């Protein structure tokens, strides 16, 4: 569903992403891991068509800038930016009408209930806390019922209830056949549900790890530290 | 003390070293310095002519009004959060270090003076306007810059003091508001008396500006009287008023340092608010409404439209919720009132509408970015909505087109009425002004498309300004040449030619920036934080 082929993104001489290849199939949860500055957000923004790049990125076979690709894609940005003068309900209405979503009211209500925002419908974007804004941002991304969902650090700023619900939503989306690409620093938050993990270091994908590749007793965290620090975390203890 | 000097010197040194790694920034500075040097040299070889120039009392009036704006801002800031004289890194590192609070305050004030100087840089480019308008040279420009810096410096300290004294005390806040208003009442009464006596607004204003009441009005009066006295060679009055300004600044600093050694808490709110604002900008939240503390009543709700048009209806909902006038905010009122005031001065003079048009076009170059359409580019939604890019941009900018059209009609109609201009002239000026805004939008998108938005905001503004001048030049030349060839209606013909050029150039810019949403990086506001 999400295919990245030989993708390079440069800022001047610096290659933030260097010849990246990545694919996420239907019903698959792909996790992007990497230290700060590894190029995860750049890759995610490029997938969503927010940055120029060399190479090819397609969503279900459509070039990512086409309207067909945009119809299939949902994006939760790293920093939730809401419109300060719109209410929570109006954010959903805006997305629903801009994406021409039919019978959006019920879908919107369900999302708001799930994230405990149903009593905040009349609150303005500027009146919400960072965590609340993140929840609205997730609702906006999911309202058009996209087939591919890209999330950049979606759990940052959420309260425990929000984290639990979003993890449940991610699992449900995956089970319903959606392709998910999620970047995170919180390895433990995806430990239960991930299918494939791309570990990025200095703009490269240093390791592609499938769940089946893990040795007995080995965790995703162990793999991560082996790649990023060149040794097992256990060795450092 | 050593650590603070080290901080100042090292920061300055690093800023200079940074230029080696940022050639575009270096080129910009070289151009600015060369420009100022050029103006200075030109002023040495150009004899100032006082023939036809305005009396210096009007320069005093302009300066008074200009500084008055900063007085209002300083009082408002003081009543809200206080002024920002420190950065967040100062709070995190310096405030907790064993450096005396008094010295830290001095450090903040030195940094603030540097910022005031940089902010006043544009004054140095006013040499030609001062020379033509008032028959004064480059030394007068330097004196105006000095007066501006001193006044802004004093006002920033005043703002800090107001916050320190009134924070959490509504009665004191009310007292400050009343005091601020009272300081200007004698001036208003005097002007009213003069107006009744002379029956002429200009004469009344001239008499007021020439009176001691204007000179002794705090800050705005002291700075304007001091500067203009020095320009006209009245050294004793010049030193008296500027000295008064410096003395008040020193006394304010002493009062804060001695009476309130624990002022850190007072500057913390302003510093944190400023930091959050800058962080919000880099994260894509460039709507000023996001950081406004103004209470907003949610009455009507809902968004119209479908597909790309939803963006326009969203803008309508946001604008009407942000203020009762909807698309037309405080700036629109200031613009129309300013145009009316200008027309009063220009009544009976030739070419008043053309000068007004020129001024408003200059302002519009920098105001066009305040429209919601261009701001939309900093948020991801417009890129992801599955609709045609062309229609997304059209609907996204419709709001500013309506805004400019109505502002133009109101400003030029009222100005035309006051100056007794024919309807054709008013219509032509409105058309040129509105189409110029359309062209500015096109140039903005073209700049983004051409640079891919992969440059700093400062360089982007520089490229945009140069592009505006280069693109307008052929139209202006054609308008002047064709207009001057025809007697009588030459001006109207010239304006018609200019309007046509603006339309064609704008369409060209939009055509060349086709696919801007696909072929540019989503811009990020870089604040240096």
């Amino acid at each position: 569903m999400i295919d990245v082929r030989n993708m390079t993104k440069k800022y001047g001489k610096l290659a933030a992403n260097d010849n990246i290849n990545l694919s996420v199939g239907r019903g698959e949860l792909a996790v992007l891991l990497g230290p700060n500055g590894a190029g995860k957000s750049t890759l995610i923004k490029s997938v969503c068509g927010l940055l120029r790049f060399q190479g090819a990125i397609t969503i279900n076979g459509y070039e990512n800038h086409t309207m067909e690709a945009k119809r299939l894609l949902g994006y939760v940005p790293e920093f939730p930016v809401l419109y300060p003068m719109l209410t929570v309900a109006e954010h959903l209405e805006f997305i629903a009408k801009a994406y021409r979503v039919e019978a959006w009211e019920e879908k919107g209500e369900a999302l708001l209930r799930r994230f405990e925002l149903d009593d905040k419908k009349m609150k303005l974007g500027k009146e919400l806390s960072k965590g609340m804004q993140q929840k609205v941002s997730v609702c906006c991304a999911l309202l058009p019922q996209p087939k591919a969902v890209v999330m950049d650090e979606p759990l940052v700023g959420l309260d425990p209830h929000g984290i639990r619900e979003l993890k449940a939503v991610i699992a449900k989306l995956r089970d319903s056949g959606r392709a998910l690409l999620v970047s995170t620093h919180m390895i433990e938050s995806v430990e239960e549900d991930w299918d494939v993990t791309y570990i990025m270091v200095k703009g490269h994908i240093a390791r592609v790890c499938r769940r089946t590749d893990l040795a007995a007793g080995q965790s995703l965290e162990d793999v991560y530290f082996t790649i990023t620090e060149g040794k097992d975390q256990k060795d450092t203890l | 003390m050593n650590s603070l000097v080290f901080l100042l010197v090292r920061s300055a040194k690093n800023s200079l070293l940074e230029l080696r790694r940022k050639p575009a920034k270096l080129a910009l500075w070289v151009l600015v310095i060369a420009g100022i040097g050029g103006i200075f040299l030109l002023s040495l070889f150009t004899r100032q002519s006082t023939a036809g120039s305005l009396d210096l009392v009007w320069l005093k009036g302009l300066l008074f009004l200009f500084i008055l704006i900063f007085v209002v801002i300083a009082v408002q800031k003081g009543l809200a959060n206080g002024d920002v004289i420190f950065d967040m890194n100062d709070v995190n590192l310096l405030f907790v270090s064993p450096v005396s609070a008094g010295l830290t305050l001095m450090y903040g004030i030195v940094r603030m003076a540097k910022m005031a100087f940089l902010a006043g840089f544009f004054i140095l480019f006013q040499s030609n306007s001062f020379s033509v308008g008032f028959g004064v040279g480059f030394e007068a420009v330097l004196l105006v810059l000095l007066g501006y810096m001193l006044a802004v410096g004093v006002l920033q300290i005043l703002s800090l003091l107001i916050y320190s004294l009134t924070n959490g005390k509504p009665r004191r806040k009310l007292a400050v508001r009343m005091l601020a208003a009272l300081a200007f009442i004698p001036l208003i009464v005097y002007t009213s008396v003069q107006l009744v006596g002379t029956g002429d607004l200009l004469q009344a204003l001239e008499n007021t500006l020439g009176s001691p009441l204007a000179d002794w009005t705090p800050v705005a009066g002291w700075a304007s009287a001091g500067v203009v006295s020095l320009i006209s060679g009245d050294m004793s009055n010049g030193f008296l008023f500027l000295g008064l300004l410096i003395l008040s600044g020193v006394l304010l600093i002493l009062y804060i340092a001695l009476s309130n050694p624990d002022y850190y808490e007072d500057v913390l709110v302003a510093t944190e608010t400023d930091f959050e604002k800058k962080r919000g900008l880099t994260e894509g939240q460039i709507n000023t409404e996001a950081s406004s503390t103004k209470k907003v009543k949610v009455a009507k709700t809902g968004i119209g439209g479908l597909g790309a048009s939803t963006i326009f209806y969203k803008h309508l909902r946001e604008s009407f919720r942000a203020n009762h006038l909807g698309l037309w905010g405080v700036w629109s009122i200031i613009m129309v009132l300013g145009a009316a005031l200008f027309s009063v001065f220009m009544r009976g003079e030739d070419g008043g509408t053309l000068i007004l048009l020129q001024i408003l076009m200059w302002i519009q170059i920098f105001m066009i970015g305040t429209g919601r359409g261009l701001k939309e580019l900093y948020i991801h939604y417009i890129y992801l909505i599955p609709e045609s890019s062309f229609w997304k941009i059209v609907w996204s900018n419709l709001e500013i087109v309506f805004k400019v059209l109505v502002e133009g009609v109101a400003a030029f109609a009222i100005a035309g009425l006051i100056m007794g201009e024919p309807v054709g002239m008013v219509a032509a000026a409105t058309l040129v002004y509105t189409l110029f805004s359309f062209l500015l939008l096109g140039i903005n998108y073209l700049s983004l498309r051409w640079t891919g938005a992969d440059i700093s905001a400062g360089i982007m503004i520089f490229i945009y300004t140069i592009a505006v001048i280069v693109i307008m030049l052929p139209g202006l030349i054609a308008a002047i040449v064709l207009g001057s060839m025809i007697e009588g209606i030459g001006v109207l013909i010239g304006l018609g030619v200019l309007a046509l050029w603006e339309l064609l150039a704008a369409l060209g810019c939009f055509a060349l920036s086709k696919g801007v949403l696909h072929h540019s990086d989503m811009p990020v506001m870089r604040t240096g934080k």
Side-chain angles (χ1 to χ4, degrees), chain B residues 448-526:
Chain B
L448 276 172
R449 174 74 174 84
W450 184 58
T451 60
D454 187 17
I455 52 169
S456 74
I459 306 289
M460 178 69 94
I461 291 170
F462 181 68
I463 290 172
Y464 158 72
T465 314
I466 296 290
V468 172
I469 294 166
V470 170
I471 292 171
M472 279 299 283
L473 213 55
L476 282 168
I477 293 169
I480 292 166
V481 170
L482 289 171
S484 59
M485 283 164 66
I486 303 155
E487 294 262 324
I489 54 163
V491 176
L492 280 181
I493 298 284
L495 287 175
V497 169
L498 189 58
L500 186 66
W501 172 253
E502 286 172 345
L503 180 65
L504 293 174
L507 291 174
C509 286
F510 276 109
L512 288 172
S513 56
K514 194 181 166 205
V516 65
L517 295 181
H518 294 171
H519 297 103
S520 301
D521 289 354
M522 185 173 86
V524 175
M525 197 67 84
R526 296 176 194 178

Side-chain angles (χ1 to χ4, degrees), chain A residues 9 48 50-52 65 67 70 75 77 79 81-85 90 93 97-100 122 126, chain B residues 283 285 289 292 294 301-303 307 314 318 321 376 380-381 383-384 386-387 452 518-519 521-522:
Chain A
K9 170 67 190 173
C48 296
L50 303 177
L51 299 178
R52 291 169 301 153
H65 285 120
M67 277 199 258
K70 287 174 197 287
Y75 169 54
F79 306 112
V81 180
L82 300 186
Y83 296 103
M85 284 295 143
E90 282 168 345
E93 187 175 357
K97 290 187 172 169
Y99 279 73
R100 301 172 193 264
M122 293 298 279
K126 70 170 195 163
Chain B
E283 291 175 1
Q285 186 52 276
E289 290 143 0
S292 162
K294 193 178 136 191
T301 59
I303 293 170
K314 178 181 77 69
E318 288 174 290
R321 190 163 285 152
E376 206 68 63
H380 64 277
Y381 297 108
Y383 299 87
L384 293 171
E387 293 286 322
H518 294 171
H519 297 103
D521 289 354
M522 185 173 86

Side-chain angles (χ1 to χ4, degrees), chain B residues 366-379:
Chain B
F366 302 100
M367 290 301 287
I368 198 83
T370 57
R372 292 184 192 275
L374 285 170
K375 285 181 186 168
E376 206 68 63
L377 294 175
Y378 290 80
I379 311 175

Side-chain angles (χ1 to χ4, degrees), chain A residues 75-83 88 91-92 111-112 115 117 125 127-142 150-159 162-163 166 170 182-184 186, chain B residues 283 380-381:
Chain A
Y75 169 54
V76 180
E78 184 180 6
F79 306 112
V81 180
L82 300 186
Y83 296 103
V88 169
H91 275 88
L92 294 187
L111 279 168
L112 293 178
F115 286 99
L117 288 169
E127 294 170 344
L128 300 176
S129 67
K130 266 265 152 42
M132 293 284 183
Q133 289 185 16
Q134 181 71 338
K135 289 179 182 178
V136 177
S137 187
V138 172
C139 293
C140 286
L142 299 182
V150 180
M151 299 182 174
D152 195 356
E153 300 287 354
L155 302 173
V156 172
L158 291 183
D159 55 24
I163 290 176
L166 186 55
I170 289 173
V182 179
S183 138
T184 184
M186 302 178 188
Chain B
E283 291 175 1
H380 64 277
Y381 297 108

Side-chain angles (χ1 to χ4, degrees), chain B residues 36-59:
Chain B
I36 294 168
I39 290 166
F40 174 66
L41 285 175
L42 206 66
S43 69
L44 287 182
F45 298 107
T46 316
R47 186 177 295 171
Q48 279 88 49
S49 164
T50 48
S53 56
L54 295 167
D55 193 290
L56 277 179
V57 79
W58 294 114
L59 175 62

